[in-house]
């Protein structure tokens, strides 16, 4: 599954980076971003999506 981060919603709490460092990183703007080409299991993707306090993470379309 591929995820995306809505940078306008992201508040830089970095919970996704702390929980899934292989899949999320801190961008130059200080906001989280999904690591291009990384793979995340459906279970971990669901956890990342639901753990974001501002619902900035979603499945890429």
């Amino acid at each position: 599954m591929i995820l995306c981060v809505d940078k306008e919603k992201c508040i830089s709490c970095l919970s996704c980076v702390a929980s899934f460092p292989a899949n999320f990183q801190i961008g130059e703007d200080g906001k989280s971003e999904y690591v291009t080409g990384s793979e995340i299991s459906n279970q971990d993707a669901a956890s990342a999506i639901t753990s974001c306090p501002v619902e900035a993470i979603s499945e890429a379309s």
Side-chain angles (χ1 to χ4, degrees):
M1 182 178 288
I2 298 173
L3 301 177
C4 63
V5 177
D6 183 334
K7 299 265 188 166
E8 291 183 21
K9 288 183 177 180
C10 180
I11 58 170
S12 302
C13 72
L14 306 179
S15 65
C16 57
V17 176
S19 298
F20 303 99
N23 303 105
F24 293 92
Q25 64 188 9
I26 302 168
E28 289 183 21
D29 58 0
K31 304 222 177 194
S32 297
E33 57 188 26
Y34 188 71
V35 176
T36 304
S38 70
E39 293 188 21
I40 189 168
S41 70
N42 289 346
Q43 182 176 353
D44 285 348
S47 293
I49 290 168
T50 58
S51 70
C52 181
V54 293
E55 300 179 351
I57 302 171
S58 62
E59 186 175 353
S61 51

